[in-house]
């Protein structure tokens, strides 16, 4: 019973589920790491948890953000409906130095969102990561802006490595969610339990099964 959904003390006004999607290697886990713990380190490609929690105060509200990261399943394009279910915000990440990660957003990921996202009002943020590697850039900012316009998403370029614009990626998305009444209603009640339902800490303990 003593799980995260047991809210005996209401320490936040809204709980939002945010997702990170995009090709393997674009820097999703690094962005999350950079946002939630203020440092950048070389992460192993597979992290053993499904989401991280961050408490923030934005727009005068105390918010609990449950930010979901893939544990490497995106490599096999096997993110399931439960990953998308109930999300108020989706961050679509590409690597400005790898064009295929940008084209996969329209070829693969935007289609998945259409298929699986249960929230018609869900806010999307397009993020071009690794701008610290300016010399290796192959996707221009202009292209990012244009794609975001087509998709109706917010847009930012950032670097998880230097932390440039990392907070802004999450904050602009959350501020937009706060402006959307239908999403606010979901984030304050009801969905709390659902958000934490899927495969909670068992992935952590699964590594040491032997006597
Ligand atoms: N130069 C640079 N490298 C990055 C940046 N973000 C991530 N990386 C590196 O890109 C690789 C993949 O990052 P990771 O976060 O595991 O990507 P994920 O598969 O999308 O979760 C790692 O070697 C990271 O250190 C960035 O902003 N700049
Ligand atoms: Mg990752």
């Amino acid at each position: 019973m003593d799980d995260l959904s047991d809210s005996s003390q209401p320490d936040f006004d809204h709980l939002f589920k945010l997702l990170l999607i995009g090709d393997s290697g674009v820097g999703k886990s690094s962005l999350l790491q950079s946002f939630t713990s203020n440092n950048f380190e070389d992460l192993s490609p597979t992290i053993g948890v499904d989401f991280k929690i961050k408490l923030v105060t934005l727009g005068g509200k105390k918010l609990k953000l449950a930010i979901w990261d893939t544990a490497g399943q995106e490599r096999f394009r096997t993110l399931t409906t439960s990953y998308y279910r109930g999300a108020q915000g989706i961050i679509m990440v590409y690597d400005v130095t790898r064009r295929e990660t940008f084209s996969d957003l329209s070829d693969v990921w935007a289609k998945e969102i259409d298929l699986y996202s249960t929230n018609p009002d869900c806010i999307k943020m397009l993020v071009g990561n690794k701008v610290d590697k300016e010399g290796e850039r192959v996707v221009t900012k202009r292209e990012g802006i244009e794609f975001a316009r087509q998709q109706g998403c917010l847009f930012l370029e950032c670097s998880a490595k230097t932390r440039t614009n990392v907070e802004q990626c999450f904050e602009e998305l959350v501020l937009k969610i706060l402006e959307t009444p239908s999403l606010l209603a979901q984030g304050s009640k009801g969905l709390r339990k659902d958000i934490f339902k899927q495969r909670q800490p068992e992935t952590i303990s699964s590594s040491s099964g032997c006597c």
Side-chain angles (χ1 to χ4, degrees):
M1 283 301 283
D2 191 25
D3 68 6
L4 289 161
S5 60
D6 179 25
S7 50
S8 40
Q9 77 280 48
D11 53 352
F12 53 88
D13 299 309
H14 301 287
L15 167 63
F16 294 141
K17 175 176 174 178
L18 310 180
L19 306 181
L20 287 156
I21 60 167
D23 283 2
S24 179
V26 295
K28 299 180 296 299
S29 302
S30 302
L31 279 170
L32 181 56
Q33 175 87 1
S34 179
F35 180 61
T36 54
S37 64
N38 295 2
N39 64 2
F40 175 90
E41 48 192 70
D42 235 334
L43 298 165
S44 70
T46 305
I47 58 164
V49 292
D50 292 318
F51 61 85
K52 286 191 177 183
I53 299 291
K54 183 157 168 124
L55 287 161
V56 293
T57 302
L58 274 174
K61 300 282 182 197
K62 279 189 179 171
L63 308 172
K64 190 167 189 169
L65 307 179
I67 310 167
W68 287 51
D69 186 17
T70 67
Q73 311 96 309
E74 79 278 28
R75 205 167 312 221
F76 312 105
R77 309 251 152 91
T78 53
L79 296 183
T80 57
T81 41
S82 58
Y83 189 72
Y84 291 90
R85 186 176 303 132
Q88 284 89 5
I90 301 182
I91 301 180
M92 304 164 72
V93 189
Y94 65 96
D95 174 348
V96 298
T97 72
R98 283 168 57 210
R99 177 158 295 278
E100 75 275 16
T101 67
F102 182 64
S103 39
D104 276 352
L105 286 179
S106 49
D107 295 345
V108 178
W109 299 110
K111 289 178 185 156
E112 274 219 0
I113 295 174
D114 288 345
L115 211 58
Y116 292 134
S117 176
T118 52
N119 246 336
D121 296 333
C122 177
I123 310 295
K124 288 177 283 179
M125 162 72 86
L126 176 68
V127 171
N129 187 37
K130 307 199 188 181
V131 288
D132 58 286
K133 293 162 80 175
E134 188 55 44
E136 295 172 43
R137 178 198 278 272
V138 293
V139 182
T140 65
K141 189 169 185 178
R142 183 80 253 144
E143 290 175 282
I145 292 169
E146 192 46 46
F147 181 58
R149 184 179 301 144
Q150 284 168 21
Q151 295 286 318
C153 0
L154 303 166
F155 173 68
L156 274 176
E157 287 190 336
C158 75
S159 165
K161 185 170 188 174
T162 62
R163 304 201 68 235
T164 308
N165 265 350
V166 169
E167 289 200 346
Q168 285 85 338
C169 292
F170 292 90
E171 289 179 6
E172 286 191 20
L173 179 65
V174 168
L175 285 171
K176 190 82 180 173
I177 294 171
L178 282 171
E179 289 172 9
T180 311
S182 62
L183 296 175
L184 271 191
Q186 297 167 3
S188 46
K189 282 247 162 19
L191 275 174
R192 277 178 198 177
K193 288 207 173 105
D194 263 17
I195 280 180
F196 296 112
K197 222 174 219 167
Q198 197 210 21
R199 291 194 301 119
Q200 228 188 27
E202 70 200 27
T203 33
I204 295 164
S205 56
S206 64
S207 54
S208 55
C210 174
C211 46

